[in-house]
Amino acid sequence: MSSDSLSVSSDISDPSDVEEAGDSKIVSNIGELKVVDIPSGAHETASSDEQSDRSEEQLSDQSDQSDFKSPRDQKRKTKSQKVRLKDGTVVDLTPPEKLLKKAEAKAKFLETKNKPEEAMKEYMRCTALSRLVYGDGHWMLASSHVNLAYAYLRLRGLAQQAVHHAEIARTLLLSGLHTSDSQQIKEKLYSTLQLMYYVFGRAYTVLCTYSEAEQNFAKAEKITSERGRASSREKRKEAKEMNIQISVAMAKLYANQNKHALGQSYFEKAITLIEENHGKESLQLIPVYQDLGKISFWIFFWYFWYFFTPAELEQSKGKHANHDQAVEAFLQAHQIAVEKYSGQSEEVADTAHKLALAYSESATAEAETAAERYLEESLGIHQVLHGPHHPKTLAVQDDICRLLLRTDRTDEATTTLKALISAKIATFGEWSEEVGDTYKLFGSIQMSQGQLEKALKNFKKCHSIQCNLYGASHRKSKATQNTIDMLLQSPNLAAKEGQTKAGQLKSRPRFNATIASSTPAGGPKTSMDY
């Protein structure tokens, strides 16, 4: 490569440092990347290699500015340069620059159409074409590897592959000193570096390497703040969008480490940024509000479980700020869904279900009434959209049964469970975990009502399903067996169980070790004996 081609230095300096060396060179240090400005006088003595590098940069800029609507429109814009040989083989002579531009646009298009596997193939094709167009040491190849790493993480959820390609990109970026006379190229370099650290942070979070994830998120956050101050209006908006993603990712990282206070602060920061960029009714707020509600519940239960006895904890339910804040967060998410979607939409049903579960954590009568109302709303929407046998419909009915039991409406819960068992058998199969859990819940209700014989029957059904799914040595199977043994300590059940076993032994045919032979012992065998 020429002296003006882009490379990266391995020296690491503070991103906030900016060194000025006269009018000849300005070096900006961000993260692990050094970008050098070339004075305008250098253009007069540029060699043919430098002109080639600038033409590549212009081609990259044009590819980013092009709007892609569909692969069909792309085919109309770019004429195919295919030739057919005498033997019938078709050879594509389209330059790799055009193929790269087409692959990048097609990957984004397929991702918007919810076709992850086809999009992954295009991202892989972009990496191969970038190597052909720019060479092995160019920063654009590193950018392509970062995009591929992010695609692995986003579309397939494969953290290890994401780390692998991000490490390739980091090696390429640290291979030398990248120089450029274009502010746009420097912005793309910083964007690549920022996305690389973000991918590292997300991937290490999935791999439970929390310390490295936190370090990489901190680097990405620092670059975001630098870009937000020095960039154009469009780039500052892009930096804010990236800052939202980093804030949500860091909040989830701290939540995984049980650092709930830090996680809550980053969720609140993400909500503030989303409201500033997209308004207070943005759909992006729904998952963030729901995550904020979950982490607020964790803070509430952890605090009172640590400082109070179980009796005091039960008395303090529903009377403290963290619980109210959690319910308010789920309520905000549901209100946004109602305003943005139609009344019979799946998003409204899901937010209503989660809001109902948040209300049900409180012991007050008002909260239980609100929980039942939102559960009925969610159930009605799911039945209209999916029917009575859909898994989401059955999950809402499960929660309704538990709420009925908590409010001492046992008869209603029993009636609902009888219909629920047949629906679950039709949906999941007779030997499924969902059916086994329903039998166990049914047996618990009957045991609390004193119907020990019916309870034993349902617990045995649950135990047979669990043994079939997990084996007799599994903890769930052992717990159910312990319940069965406890029930059998009752004199009436023990006597009936003994009579049942005796009847089974009496009806069983006697075992005879002697097997009658159809042919006499000894003597030669004939063909009829075979």
Side-chain angles (χ1 to χ4, degrees):
M1 296 179 68
S2 61
S3 60
D4 293 333
S5 60
L6 296 173
S7 56
V8 180
S9 173
S10 59
D11 298 332
I12 301 175
S13 57
D14 189 0
S16 62
D17 295 339
V18 177
E19 300 179 0
E20 297 186 359
D23 296 332
S24 59
K25 292 185 178 181
I26 299 175
V27 181
S28 300
N29 298 330
I30 293 188
E32 300 175 352
L33 184 67
K34 287 188 177 180
V35 181
V36 180
D37 277 342
I38 298 179
S40 58
H43 292 287
E44 299 177 357
T45 59
S47 62
S48 59
D49 293 337
E50 295 168 349
Q51 294 175 0
S52 175
D53 291 338
R54 284 197 297 272
S55 66
E56 291 177 356
E57 295 168 3
Q58 294 173 0
L59 176 63
S60 176
D61 295 339
Q62 293 174 0
S63 65
D64 291 339
Q65 296 172 359
S66 63
D67 294 329
F68 180 78
K69 297 181 179 179
S70 68
R72 184 177 300 174
D73 296 337
Q74 189 69 23
K75 289 180 180 178
R76 285 198 292 265
K77 291 180 181 180
T78 305
K79 293 183 179 179
S80 179
Q81 300 181 13
K82 295 181 180 180
V83 296
R84 185 180 298 274
L85 302 180
K86 292 182 179 180
D87 58 355
T89 305
V90 179
V91 180
D92 191 355
L93 299 180
T94 305
E97 294 87 354
K98 293 183 179 180
L99 293 176
L100 176 60
K101 180 180 176 182
K102 181 179 177 181
E104 290 173 346
K106 189 175 181 181
K108 295 177 182 178
F109 174 77
L110 291 171
E111 191 171 350
T112 58
K113 294 298 181 180
N114 197 19
K115 297 181 179 180
E117 292 303 321
E118 291 83 350
M120 279 299 307
K121 293 179 182 178
E122 294 301 323
Y123 280 116
M124 296 176 189
R125 186 173 288 110
C126 289
T127 305
L129 291 171
S130 295
R131 188 182 300 275
L132 289 175
V133 174
Y134 301 107
D136 289 334
H138 203 277
W139 69 271
M140 283 295 292
L141 179 59
S143 178
S144 182
H145 275 287
V146 171
N147 291 333
L148 181 58
Y150 192 31
Y152 267 116
L153 191 63
R154 187 176 65 255
L155 301 179
R156 288 186 176 177
L158 301 177
Q160 196 63 54
Q161 285 81 348
V163 169
H164 172 71
H165 286 281
E167 287 177 346
I168 294 176
R170 182 167 58 184
T171 302
L172 291 172
L173 290 174
L174 295 177
S175 60
L177 180 65
H178 289 285
T179 61
S180 174
D181 60 344
S182 171
Q183 184 65 24
Q184 291 182 349
I185 297 300
K186 290 195 294 183
E187 286 290 344
K188 291 178 182 177
L189 278 167
Y190 297 153
S191 177
T192 298
L193 194 65
Q194 180 188 43
L195 182 59
M196 182 187 72
Y197 286 133
Y198 174 72
V199 170
F200 270 128
R202 285 273 304 272
Y204 283 133
T205 301
V206 175
L207 297 173
C208 299
T209 313
Y210 297 134
S211 59
E212 296 185 18
E214 189 172 355
Q215 293 173 7
N216 283 280
F217 279 138
K219 292 178 182 179
E221 192 175 23
K222 198 169 187 180
I223 296 174
T224 303
S225 61
E226 293 294 329
R227 290 185 66 197
R229 289 196 298 265
S231 303
S232 62
R233 181 177 179 181
E234 182 179 354
K235 296 299 180 182
R236 284 198 298 270
K237 185 177 180 181
E238 181 182 339
K240 288 181 180 179
E241 291 294 332
M242 193 65 191
N243 199 13
I244 293 172
Q245 298 184 40
I246 294 172
S247 299
V248 173
M250 291 191 73
K252 293 181 178 180
L253 169 65
Y254 287 126
N256 290 341
Q257 299 179 81
N258 294 326
K259 299 178 180 179
H260 302 301
L262 283 173
Q264 185 178 21
S265 65
Y266 272 98
F267 276 130
E268 292 173 350
K269 177 183 176 182
I271 289 173
T272 303
L273 291 172
I274 293 173
E275 289 179 347
E276 291 177 356
N277 289 4
H278 305 284
K280 294 185 178 182
E281 297 180 356
S282 173
L283 295 177
Q284 295 184 27
L285 289 170
I286 293 178
V288 182
Y289 270 127
Q290 290 176 342
D291 289 334
L292 177 61
K294 292 177 184 177
I295 203 170
S296 298
F297 271 124
W298 274 110
I299 294 174
F300 168 73
F301 286 118
W302 177 85
Y303 180 82
F304 288 103
W305 180 262
Y306 188 80
F307 290 103
F308 292 92
T309 63
E312 293 171 335
L313 175 64
E314 187 65 27
Q315 293 175 0
S316 63
K317 272 188 177 181
K319 300 180 182 179
H320 299 276
N322 284 323
H323 179 272
D324 295 337
Q325 184 180 6
V327 172
E328 181 64 24
F330 283 108
L331 183 60
Q332 289 284 345
H334 181 61
Q335 289 176 350
I336 294 173
V338 171
E339 291 176 0
K340 291 295 184 179
Y341 297 102
S342 63
Q344 297 295 325
S345 65
E346 188 168 354
E347 292 80 7
V348 175
D350 290 339
T351 54
H353 188 192
K354 293 178 181 178
L355 176 59
L357 295 180
Y359 271 117
S360 65
E361 294 295 335
S362 177
T364 62
E366 294 82 2
E368 290 173 346
T369 302
E372 186 176 0
R373 183 175 72 252
Y374 285 112
L375 282 174
E376 293 293 342
E377 177 185 351
S378 178
L379 177 62
I381 296 174
H382 281 308
Q383 285 179 337
V384 171
L385 294 178
H386 306 296
H389 291 172
H390 193 271
K392 288 187 175 181
T393 306
L394 299 176
V396 177
Q397 287 180 314
D398 268 338
D399 292 325
I400 290 176
C401 287
R402 291 183 176 88
L403 183 62
L404 292 173
L405 291 174
R406 288 179 57 181
T407 54
D408 296 330
R409 290 180 285 176
T410 309
D411 294 336
E412 295 181 39
T414 303
T415 304
T416 305
L417 277 176
K418 288 180 180 179
L420 195 58
I421 287 178
S422 59
K424 285 189 174 182
I425 291 175
T427 303
F428 303 108
E430 188 174 358
W431 299 92
S432 61
E433 181 181 4
E434 292 79 6
V435 174
D437 292 340
T438 307
Y439 277 127
K440 188 172 185 178
L441 180 60
F442 206 3
S444 300
I445 295 173
Q446 292 168 338
M447 186 170 61
S448 65
Q449 293 177 337
Q451 303 175 6
L452 301 184
E453 188 174 354
K454 294 181 178 179
L456 179 63
K457 182 178 179 180
N458 284 304
F459 276 116
K460 283 185 175 181
K461 290 180 179 179
C462 173
H463 184 259
S464 61
I465 292 174
Q466 289 175 341
C467 290
N468 184 57
L469 292 176
Y470 316 117
S473 300
H474 194 270
R475 57 180 180 83
K476 291 185 177 181
S477 304
K478 289 182 177 180
T480 307
Q481 183 62 51
N482 291 336
T483 305
I484 293 173
D485 295 338
M486 181 187 68
L487 288 172
L488 289 176
Q489 290 178 1
S490 171
N492 293 333
L493 287 181
K496 289 183 179 180
E497 189 72 12
Q499 291 176 2
T500 303
K501 289 184 178 180
Q504 291 176 353
L505 291 174
K506 187 176 181 180
S507 61
R508 185 181 301 172
R510 296 183 59 185
F511 176 73
N512 189 358
T514 304
I515 301 176
S517 177
S518 59
T519 58
K525 291 183 179 180
T526 64
S527 59
M528 297 297 294
D529 295 329
Y530 287 97

